[in-house]
Every structure is written in C-alpha cells, then in structure tokens.
C-alpha cells in the first residue's frame, strides 16, 4: 500500500504559513482613523479633498473639508417641510459642490464608514448631514445610462461593509465624486466640518480574491434630469418600470 502522508505533510507545511499570516493580519492592532489635520496640514479656508490609503486598516480614506455648515432658520425649516409635503424634494438643503477624486489602486471596494469630524478627528453630530452620495463617472448603471452610484448614506444610515468574499471591482484612476446635503437643525453654525469616508478594500494581488458584485438601482419613476417623486392617488393605483437587460448572462 502506497502512503500519501509525505505529500499531505508537504501540503500542510505550505498551508501553515498562509494561515499564520492571515491570523497575524487579523490580530494586528489598527490605529485610529486618519485625522484631517494630519492629512491636510494647516488649512486656511476653502474646501479641499484628499485620498489616503490606510494599509494597516485595509481602507481607502476619503477626506473633504473644511465646510461651513450654517444653522437652518425657522423659515428654512418650514420651507423644507413644505417641500416634502408638496413634492417629496428637499429643495431647501444646502449642497456642497461636487468633490472629484480618483480611486487610488486596483482591487475591490467593500463598503463605507461615514463620519463628520473636525480637523483633529473628533466626531461631530451626524445629523448635520442629510445625505451623502458617491458617483462613479467611469461606470454606468445597469438599467439606465446614468453614472453609477457607488455609495449613498443618510444621517440615519448605518455603516455598510460587504462580506469578505464579495467586492465591487475598482481600477486605479477610476473617476469618482462625492456631494453632501447639509441639514443643520442644531441651532448654531458649525465651522471646520470635514466629511470622512473610510472604504474597506481588497487589493488586486490578494491571495483570496472576492467575487465581483455591482450595485443595481431600480426606480419606477426614473426620468433623467427630473425628480423621481410622484403623488399616490387615493384608491388602487399601479406604476410599472420596464427595461431591457443591456448585457447577457
């Protein structure tokens, strides 16, 4: 009878270092998130943005600021309530400009952790932000010709990270953008506000590569350049969204 033990032992010897590396990486201490003051240095007015690859935490960190977020007046708050009641839109929100940046490396994007902070990284009230949207200008959405939304979060949205075996494929240099809608009902202005979005990633040279996944949006009232809000009449009503799948599979 031929023994297979030597071959099995050689396989085990090869596996042990890989397991050891994986355990060491999982147990390695992760430092604090990148602070704007360290990333930007002294900031003298005007909003800037930067991207930092935090290899220790396995995250791409996007920082933008500093922003001045004024308190909403009573009239602005009432107008917002009227906007919502009449059309479902938040026309009274103060929007940041679209802030462009490039994804820094080949690999997979796995989710996001969004926070508002000051220059030293101290967390500010998340309620200052009504929502933040991320746009991928290098990839279209599946069911329409608009640019893909690679992330979206509101003040009440929890952080979202995909399981380790799933990821959204990204290329270094991919053109992205972020914009924020401010909503300050706290009764005072906030200066020196930064948005920090930490995005876990898996590098292209990872030993275990994830399955590629893509975000998909379906909307029964999606008309390019127009609001997707609509009135719901009393009684029974129906709306349909018909589409032709643009790819095979």
């Amino acid at each position: 009878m031929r023994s297979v033990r030597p071959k099995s032992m050689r396989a085990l010897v090869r596996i042990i270092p890989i397991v050891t590396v994986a355990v060491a990486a999982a147990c390695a201490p992760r430092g604090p998130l990148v602070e704007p003051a360290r990333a930007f240095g002294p900031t003298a007015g005007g909003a800037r943005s930067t991207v930092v690859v935090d290899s220790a935490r396995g995250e791409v960190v996007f920082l933008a600021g500093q922003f001045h977020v004024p308190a909403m007046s009573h009239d602005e708050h009432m107008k917002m309530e009227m906007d919502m009641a009449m059309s479902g839109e938040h026309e009274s929100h103060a929007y940041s400009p679209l802030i462009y940046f490039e994804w820094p490396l080949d690999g997979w994007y796995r989710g996001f952790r969004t926070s508002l902070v000051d220059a030293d990284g101290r967390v500010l009230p998340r309620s200052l932000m009504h929502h933040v949207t991320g746009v991928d200008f290098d990839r279209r959405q599946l069911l329409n010709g608009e640019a893909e939304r690679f992330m979206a979060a509101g003040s009440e949205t929890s952080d979202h990270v995909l399981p380790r075996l799933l990821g959204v494929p990204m290329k270094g240099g991919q053109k992205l953008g972020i914009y924020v809608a401010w909503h300050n009902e706290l009764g005072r202005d906030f200066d020196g506000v930064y948005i920090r979005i930490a995005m876990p990633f898996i590098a292209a040279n990872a030993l275990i590569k994830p399955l590629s996944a893509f975000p998909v949006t379906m909307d029964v009232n999606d008309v390019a350049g127009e609001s997707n809000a609509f009135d719901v009449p009393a009684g029974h009503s129906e709306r349909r969204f018909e589409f032709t799948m643009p790819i095979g599979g």
Side-chain angles (χ1 to χ4, degrees), residues 11 17 28 31 53 70 91 118-119 145 147 160 178 192 201 210 245 247:
V53 178
E91 295 178 4
D118 64 13
H160 286 280
I178 292 286
F201 73 92
M245 186 66 71
I247 61 173

Side-chain angles (χ1 to χ4, degrees), residues 105-173:
L105 44 76
D106 290 355
W108 291 266
Y109 152 80
R110 294 182 49 231
F112 56 87
R113 299 185 178 95
T114 305
S115 56
L116 300 177
V117 297
D118 64 13
D120 296 321
R122 290 184 290 264
V123 176
L124 299 174
R126 192 183 176 97
S127 61
L128 294 174
M129 175 192 74
H130 184 269
H131 63 271
V132 57
T133 301
V135 183
D136 184 343
F137 295 102
D138 280 345
R139 192 155 56 208
R140 57 161 281 171
Q141 295 188 42
L142 176 64
L143 302 183
N144 59 50
E146 299 173 4
E148 183 180 276
R149 270 48 173 177
F150 72 92
M151 68 157 290
S155 57
E156 74 289 350
T157 305
S158 59
D159 296 331
H160 286 280
V161 178
L162 293 172
R164 173 61 179 77
L165 293 179
L166 290 176
V168 179
M170 304 289 275
K171 292 287 187 182

Side-chain angles (χ1 to χ4, degrees), residues 61-241:
V61 182
F62 168 78
L63 288 165
Q66 52 189 351
F67 297 105
H68 172 71
V69 184
M72 294 177 67
S73 67
H74 175 73
D75 289 344
E76 288 171 328
H77 179 71
M78 292 303 294
K79 183 178 185 301
M80 185 205 72
E81 296 294 335
M82 289 285 290
D83 291 340
M84 283 298 295
M86 298 298 293
S87 66
E89 295 297 298
H90 293 282
E91 295 178 4
S92 59
H93 283 156
Y95 285 89
S96 76
L98 185 63
I99 308 159
Y100 294 93
F101 68 102
E102 293 185 354
W103 186 260
L105 44 76
D106 290 355
W108 291 266
Y109 152 80
R110 294 182 49 231
F112 56 87
R113 299 185 178 95
T114 305
S115 56
L116 300 177
V117 297
D118 64 13
D120 296 321
R122 290 184 290 264
V123 176
L124 299 174
R126 192 183 176 97
S127 61
L128 294 174
M129 175 192 74
H130 184 269
H131 63 271
V132 57
T133 301
V135 183
D136 184 343
F137 295 102
D138 280 345
R139 192 155 56 208
R140 57 161 281 171
Q141 295 188 42
L142 176 64
L143 302 183
N144 59 50
E146 299 173 4
E148 183 180 276
R149 270 48 173 177
F150 72 92
M151 68 157 290
S155 57
E156 74 289 350
T157 305
S158 59
D159 296 331
H160 286 280
V161 178
L162 293 172
R164 173 61 179 77
L165 293 179
L166 290 176
V168 179
M170 304 289 275
K171 292 287 187 182
Q174 205 158 324
K175 294 177 175 59
L176 310 175
I178 292 286
Y179 63 89
V180 186
W182 303 112
H183 183 79
N184 181 3
E185 292 186 296
L186 298 181
R188 66 182 181 91
D189 293 359
F190 282 78
D191 286 307
V193 177
Y194 293 82
I195 183 166
R196 180 173 61 195
I197 305 174
M199 296 170 278
F201 73 92
I202 299 172
N205 62 356
L207 290 175
I208 302 175
K209 295 175 171 54
L211 297 173
S212 293
F214 297 87
V216 177
T217 301
M218 300 180 186
D219 194 323
V220 297
N221 203 50
D222 183 41
V223 180
E226 298 182 14
S227 169
N228 62 352
F230 59 90
D231 294 330
V232 178
H236 177 82
S237 65
E238 293 183 8
R239 274 184 184 256
R240 291 184 176 89
F241 172 49

